[in-house]
Each structure stands twice: as C-alpha cells, then as structure tokens.
C-alpha cells in the first residue's frame, strides 16, 4: 500500500509539474515555426539559430506559392510564426489576413537591408515584410552549343526547336507571365485576350511529346541534372546548384524577358511566438548569416552588410547576380488586384486541358 501511495503521489506531482511546464511553454513558447520553400536554408543554421537565440527552429516546407496559401487557408495561421513568401503574393496575403504588421523596432538588423529593397511596390510602407533573398527565373538546359545570351522561349514552346524532354514551372502566375513574355506581351498584362494567348501557348507545349509536366523549381532542376529533362524552367539558385554538380549545364534569361523576384519574411497573423519570429528575422539579417545563407542557397542577398563579407567570385557569378543586360530585360511581377481571377481561371484551363 505504501508503494502504491508513493506511486500515486509521484503521479500526481508529475501531472502537476507537466501541467506547469505546459503553462510555461504556452506563455514562453520555445519553438519558432517557419513556412518556407524546400531546400531554402543552410541546415547548419537551424542548430546555430537555437544556440544563439534559445529557440528551436521548425520548418514547414512547400514547393509553390499556391500550395503555401492553400495550406494557410486550410490549417490556419496559428501553426506558424514566420512565412517566407514571394513578392507577387504579398498583397494577396494581406487581403486574406494571413500576415500581420511587423514591429521593426524589435529587429535591430533591419538597418542592413539595402536601399533598393526598402519601400518595395508590394509593401511600400515597409509594414509587412523584410527581404530574405532575391533572384531570377529562367531556363536550365543541357547544351553547350547554345549561347545563354541567345536563348529564346522557343526552346520550349516551339516543337521544331525543342531538342529533348522539358518541364514547365508549377507556379501559376510565374508560368503565365513567362508565357505572356514569350508571346511578346507585358509580363504584368491583365488583358483577357493576351492572357488567353498565353494559355494557348502553354496548351500547345503540353501537346509536345517532349513535355514531361509541371514541376517545382527543385523538381525541374533534379530532372535536368539526372538527364530526364533536356531543359526546365527553374529559379537561378537551383540552376547554380545543378551547374555546381554538372558544369556542362547552362542557365539563361530568355531574350524575350523574364522576371526578378524577392522572397520576403512575413509575420503570421496568429503567430504563437511573435518574439521568436522577430528573433528569426533578426538572425537572417545579420551580416555574416546573410552571407552564409546566400552562398549556401546560391541566391543574391538583399543585405548590404552581407555584401561586404561575400567573396568577389560569388558577386561576379552571372547565374546568381545577373548582368546589366539581363536585368534590363526583366521586370518585377505586380499584384494584379481584381484581375487575379483571370490568372486563376487561366491556370485552371492550363491544368485541366
């Protein structure tokens, strides 16, 4: 009986202690949950962040912006603290109530953001975002005889010029905008007739026996690297990773144009750990951490302090940091506003026909 009483007392005490721990964890959560593209952070930074801040870093991965927004709408924003989102969907996320204003006074390293990334069109008052990385979208291909400066979208959209299997990008706005440019239109066009022609171009490409489907940037990169694809539309960071493994691969910004983008850190509207979210943002904007992130992921950094510690070889790499000629034929995608429904309808046609 004495042993049973002792066990019972221990059990009661344990429950009380655990309950107390639960209460403390609710008041001072120790985990920061970040929703982020796959393969988009140096794994060493996960441990380093915990050592420097005391917060455990948990990642929730996604492959495309539509998938990310769908997860947030289905599961709610209270499961996440920081959401890494592309510039083109920021206004949509604000309208949907998915992200909240950031108290930048709590992020000392905000002073490291380069001037060209302050007051961007997607967040002109710097209320909701801080930049994470920036990059470009183009074509990764396996053919050393084709000069990257002379690559056209016809490589993918003209069956007579396609030399092998190819994949298109599994992101609606991005892919439709590139198709608009391939037809000679503005990437930000909201004209129904021009969007219709972009849809027709993609549908024609789907009929090509070389078309292997739509992939995220990582998937497209992997297919080209493995030899399954001859070409794929990918982000430049994935292209650089592939080229590092196989120097015969090339990356091009098509002559008809493409677009640049900024991926930004945002605060989930119902973040359970706001202080932890700010700690993560501040950590990423540290000069050395920003440089480590850029070099590991192979994307350009928006952190002016990081540029002081990154080597010249990285800064002069045209895949990561495009030339002036390439920049001149690229644009930033703008929020289409009410015309977003045109892109949604167009993408439904693209995927279902």
């Amino acid at each position: 009986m004495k042993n049973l009483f002792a066990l019972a007392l221990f059990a009661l005490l344990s429950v009380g202690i655990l309950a107390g721990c639960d209460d403390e964890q609710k008041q001072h959560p120790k985990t920061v949950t970040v929703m982020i593209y796959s393969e988009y952070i140096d794994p060493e930074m996960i441990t380093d962040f915990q050592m420097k801040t005391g917060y455990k870093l948990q990642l929730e991965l996604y492959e495309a912006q539509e998938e990310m927004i769908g997860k947030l709408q289905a599961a709610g924003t209270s499961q996440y603290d920081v959401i890494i989102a592309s510039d083109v969907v920021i206004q949509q996320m604000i309208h949907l109530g998915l992200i909240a204003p950031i108290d930048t006074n709590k992020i000392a390293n905000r002073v490291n953001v380069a001037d060209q990334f302050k007051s961007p069109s997607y967040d002109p008052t710097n209320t909701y975002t801080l930049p994470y990385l920036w990059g470009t979208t183009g074509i990764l291909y396996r053919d050393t005889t084709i000069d990257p400066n002379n690559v056209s979208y016809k490589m993918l959209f003209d069956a007579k010029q396609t030399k092998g299997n190819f994949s298109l990008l599994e992101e609606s706005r991005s892919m439709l905008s590139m198709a608009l440019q391939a037809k000679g239109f503005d990437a930000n066009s909201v004209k129904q007739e021009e969007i219709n022609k972009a849809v027709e171009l993609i549908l024609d490409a789907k009929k090509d026996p070389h078309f292997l489907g739509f992939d995220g940037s990582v998937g497209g990169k992997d297919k080209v690297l493995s030899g399954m694809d001859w070409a794929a539309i990918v982000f430049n960071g994935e292209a650089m990773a592939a080229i590092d493994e196989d120097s015969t691969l090339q990356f091009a910004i098509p002559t008809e144009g493409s677009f640049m983008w900024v991926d930004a850190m945002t605060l989930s509207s119902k973040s359970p750990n706001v202080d932890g979210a700010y700690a993560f943002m501040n950590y990423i904007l540290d000069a050395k951490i920003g440089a480590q992130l850029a070099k590991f992921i192979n994307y350009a950094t928006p952190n002016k302090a990081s540029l002081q510690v990154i080597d010249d070889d990285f800064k002069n790499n045209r895949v990561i940091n495009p030339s002036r000629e390439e920049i001149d034929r690229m644009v930033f995608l703008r929020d289409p506003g009410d015309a977003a429904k045109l892109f949604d309808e167009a993408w439904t046609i693209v995927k279902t026909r």
Side-chain angles (χ1 to χ4, degrees), residues 2 28 46 103 179 183 216 258 266 273 291 321 337 344 351:
K2 183 177 180 180
H28 305 286
I46 297 174
D103 184 353
K183 293 293 293 183
S258 182
T266 68
N273 188 359
N321 294 286
D344 291 340
K351 295 303 293 291

Side-chain angles (χ1 to χ4, degrees), residues 23-291:
D23 290 340
E24 183 177 350
Q25 287 176 353
K26 288 176 182 177
Q27 294 173 10
H28 305 286
K30 294 298 183 183
T31 297
V32 179
T33 302
V34 178
M35 179 173 268
I36 187 171
Y37 274 117
S38 66
E39 300 184 18
Y40 210 29
I41 192 170
D42 183 346
E44 291 184 1
M45 293 168 63
I46 297 174
T47 302
D48 185 58
F49 174 74
Q50 184 169 352
M51 290 178 60
K52 290 179 176 175
T53 68
Y55 292 109
K56 179 181 178 182
L57 185 59
Q58 179 174 307
L59 305 179
E60 174 71 26
L61 307 180
Y62 69 88
E63 296 296 340
Q65 295 295 305
E66 294 81 10
E67 175 191 352
M68 177 266 289
I69 291 176
K71 282 186 175 181
L72 291 173
Q73 291 181 305
T77 57
S78 61
Q79 297 185 33
Y80 313 102
D81 299 301
V82 177
I83 303 165
I84 308 297
S86 290
D87 50 8
V88 71
V89 298
I90 296 298
Q91 286 297 315
Q92 180 185 3
M93 294 177 75
I94 294 171
H95 295 152
L96 291 173
L98 300 178
I99 55 178
I102 295 172
D103 184 353
T104 54
N105 291 322
K106 295 185 177 180
I107 305 171
N109 287 332
R110 71 188 185 282
V111 298
N112 291 336
V113 175
D115 290 343
Q116 61 263 44
F117 297 98
K118 295 177 181 178
S119 303
S121 60
Y122 56 87
D123 186 19
T125 58
N126 299 300
T127 301
Y128 292 92
T129 66
L130 285 166
Y132 184 77
L133 290 170
W134 74 275
T136 64
T137 308
I139 301 175
L140 176 68
Y141 62 97
R142 183 180 293 281
D143 194 328
T144 57
T145 67
I146 301 177
D147 183 349
N149 293 312
N150 296 321
V151 166
S152 166
Y153 281 113
K154 292 179 181 178
M155 174 188 287
L156 305 178
F157 292 121
D158 184 344
K160 295 179 181 178
Q161 296 193 35
T162 300
K163 294 185 178 181
N165 294 335
F166 66 91
S167 297
L168 300 181
L169 189 63
E170 180 72 274
E171 284 202 359
S172 62
R173 179 66 193 286
S174 300
M175 193 62 251
L176 287 166
S177 293
M178 296 184 91
L180 282 166
Q181 289 175 306
K183 293 293 293 183
F185 303 130
D186 183 347
N188 288 297
S189 173
V190 292
K191 296 179 180 178
Q192 181 72 73
E193 62 273 20
E194 293 182 353
I195 294 174
N196 289 345
K197 290 181 180 179
V199 169
E200 291 172 5
L201 186 67
I202 299 175
L203 291 177
D204 285 342
K206 288 179 66 176
K207 297 174 184 177
D208 188 326
H210 292 111
F211 174 70
L212 292 190
F214 296 93
D215 280 301
S217 182
V218 173
K221 176 262 293 183
D222 289 342
K223 284 184 177 178
V224 175
L225 195 56
S226 69
M228 184 181 298
D229 268 355
W230 172 70
I233 293 179
V234 303
F235 305 135
N236 61 325
E238 268 80 59
M240 192 66 245
I243 292 169
D244 282 341
E245 290 192 47
D246 185 345
S247 61
T248 66
L249 300 181
Q250 302 211 64
F251 178 74
I253 302 299
T255 54
E256 298 92 341
S258 182
F259 57 91
M260 297 177 287
W261 45 262
V262 177
D263 283 337
M265 297 181 285
T266 68
L267 176 65
S268 177
S269 59
K270 294 183 180 179
S271 165
N273 188 359
V274 174
D275 288 340
Y278 291 155
F280 177 81
M281 295 178 187
N282 196 60
Y283 174 81
I284 293 297
L285 290 175
D286 173 83
K288 291 184 178 179
I289 296 303

Side-chain angles (χ1 to χ4, degrees), residues 302-315:
N303 189 323
K304 63 185 179 183
S306 297
L307 290 174
Q308 303 304 312
V309 296
I310 290 179
D311 59 87
D312 288 340
D313 285 344
F314 183 87
K315 287 187 282 190

